Amino acid sequence: MWCASISAGGTTLVEGAAGTGKTSALDEAARFWEKRGHKVIRAHGSELDRSLPFGIVAQLFEPVLDDDLEVPPEALGALRLTSTEPDFIVLQGLYRLAVRLAGDTGLLIVVDDVHWADAPSLRWLAYLALRMRRQPISLVLSIGADERCDDPSFCEVVAQPLSERIVLGEMDLGTATELAERVFGGAVDRVFVEACLEAADGNPQLTARLFRALADDQVPPEAASAWQAAEHGTFVRGQVVLGRLRRRPPRVVTAAQCAAVLGPQPHPGVLAELTGMSAIELTDALRTLNGIGALGPQVRSAVLDDMPAASRADLHARAARSLRNHGADDRAVAEQLLETPPGADAWACEVLDRAARDAVSRGDPDAAARLLWRSLREPLANPARAFRLLGVAELTGGLPGATARLREALAAAGDPVERAQTAIPLAMALHADGRPAELVSVLDSNTVTGPLTVRVREHRLMHAFGFAEAVPSDFVSEDQPVNILYQAAIGRIDAHSAAALTSRVMANRSDTLGCVAGALTLCVADHHDEAIALTDRLLQTKHTPATRGLAFVLRSNALRRRGDLTAARADADAAESFLRNETRWPLITAIYTALRVDLLMEASRVDDAHALLESACADERLRSTWSMAALYAARGRVNIVRGDPAAALEDFLAARDHEQRWPFRNPALLPWRAGAALACAALSDGQRARQFADEELANARAWGAPRLLGMTLRAGGRVYSGSAGRALLEAAVVVLRASSARLELARALTDLGVTLRRQGDTSLARTHLRDALDLAQKSGSEALSARAYAELVATGSGPRRMRQTGPTALTPTEHQVANLAARGRSNEEIATTLLVPAHTIEGLLLGACRKLGVAGRLQLPEVLDVAD
């Protein structure tokens, strides 16, 4: 026991955070020495004693003054609190008094929380520590672990050789179990005790109080009750800290209240302004608060609840003004305004609205709703705007009532701009509800007029890809991203014109709708890198989960079409986390499903792809969208691989029939004829196969994008036999070599190699198949790699080792990081795009460079075949 180590003439210092049992340790020492016949005198420091000269000395000796003890006259002034200066005569008199009191039995002097002692008393303790070494006097002091005492006399006391320094820490499991058994009166479960220790951070005092609180509430000490420890622990911690806080001076209480209002990591300037303290005073107050545990997040609500409601609201209002004056963002200012009564500041409504829009873009509809309801209480509130933003928040979060709220906002909207701003999200809500007829009426140009009419028409055209009812009867050709996409879809312009127009228009636009439409157009026009750049622009800004998911889908599709399947899979996985539970946007779901099917096919997971399609094709909501035709065509491709050409042809014709409801005839969006041609060929219907192939080739030439043209030439090469088929395959290879679609080039090379082998040109076939295998491996297509490898072996070429380094050796995350770095993105931009911590990017990039065999990021564009 440490008490036995206290030696005569020595000083023992006990250190520990609040609640670790310093006072209990000193009680134990006092009892130990009293049982052995020693005299014990005690004092406890407090904020009051710090301003009272010789206050600690008076506490120590007051209990023994009536014991017929002769008190030196020079000590009487200090004991009566009439002396204010620690003169030598006074200090010597007090020392003589201590020696007399010690007598032959010895004396233990105990001072708890000595950091609060007054300066004259500390001076005497230092005087005593120097002279008591030959006397039967021992000194035991306690100090808080996070407390400081800058008085020179205290430094002299602890500078003396200490007989022992006791540091109190966390309660161990064994001690806590024994305590719990005493409190609950029986056996306790280990898991329950561990949960209580964790809730109390191992603090002995908090743990003991927590046990008593749980016992008072009749919570059984079982593993099944462990979850209640955290809830009770928060309450107990708050009450304990409040008790300590109430014993502190007003300035410390003020600092605690201001820190609680501002939350974790408060703005230093704002905190100083609210407290009205100097930097030194504030630092000292915060040190004290930290020492008693009053700065923890669990205590914040207890401190605020302890304030009068009016004072708390006033403090929140002052915090809002100060944060705004110090340039804090709207979100931080609005959090303070939520706790204030309306009408205090004219700018409050504007800040609340901006913060609500930010919450919507972050995908936090609950926060947006709170802010908007509070905004409506402001005298200058615009109900139409508030209801519109509230409806958008509910729509974003999938909450019920969004459509009704937006209808109400549209009815309340007065000017044309407000009506247009409301009509757009209302149409989105109606789209999610599956109400195309009402959607069309809301976006009718006769209903919505004004400067935003063009933007409303854009949204109308975008909805046309979801519902056939939204297809306009007349089309106004305008240089807007959605108009360009629509013109490309109906075949009014070719790929070159579509890409040029989109690039020019998007140079001056960065809105969500423009980026989505632009990325779609550039992707089908084979400008994959530009399409990826637009999706990057979307991912680097705040958006709702559905929009972020769509952005990852678009980028994944562009990467897939370019032949970068590893990165495409990584983006598809990222999209899945946003779209997993998203059922309100069937158009997005259909596009994402078709993408997933293609990626599964490239990974040779044909059965998984078929199962996914069977589930999607049975979804009635998806059948209303134009993209359902893409799902039918995808199922046709799967059935060809599964060896069922009859079912495949049926699927491709179903895609054709579904497509007839829309005016979209561009084969770049839906190349069903090429698939139908291959199915007919497998069914020995050569005439019909060639008819489909010729029609597709004519349409592909009209569109003019090399990837589609190469794919249709390859399909024709497989349908036609002999030299005609070989010529078409050779033309496909030539076209695709000039494109960025390296995976399609690998397919064309494989088919050409097979044709050449069958025609007896084994040497040339082997060359093409080796090139095909290399491209397939670089692209990450397991299915095509296996086919090209098998065909290469069939030519008599010896087996070759599969690639162990290069792009296929990268993990999906490494591939994403390397691709973004190759396109010139900084580490911070990459971290923002991928939603990963910034400090991990450098390590991932170094690992990718090592696997790729390059020295740094400047060589990545070449090795990854990425355009700057």
Side-chain angles (χ1 to χ4, degrees), residues 119 386 529 684 835:
D529 289 326
S684 300
L835 298 178

Side-chain angles (χ1 to χ4, degrees), residues 60 92 109 136 168 308-309 324 338 447 525 556 571 619 642 654 656 717 748 750 801 817 835:
L60 288 170
Q92 179 63 20
I109 300 176
L168 303 178
R324 185 169 181 264
L338 285 173
T447 304
S556 176
D571 275 352
D619 190 337
R642 297 178 75 218
R656 176 200 63 187
T750 301
R801 281 175 28 179
V817 170
L835 298 178

Side-chain angles (χ1 to χ4, degrees), residues 545-569:
T547 302
R548 290 193 68 84
L550 177 60
F552 276 115
V553 168
L554 296 177
R555 191 169 71 179
S556 176
N557 193 44
L559 290 165
R560 179 189 66 83
R561 293 169 69 98
R562 196 180 68 180
D564 192 347
L565 296 180
T566 304
R569 291 187 186 104

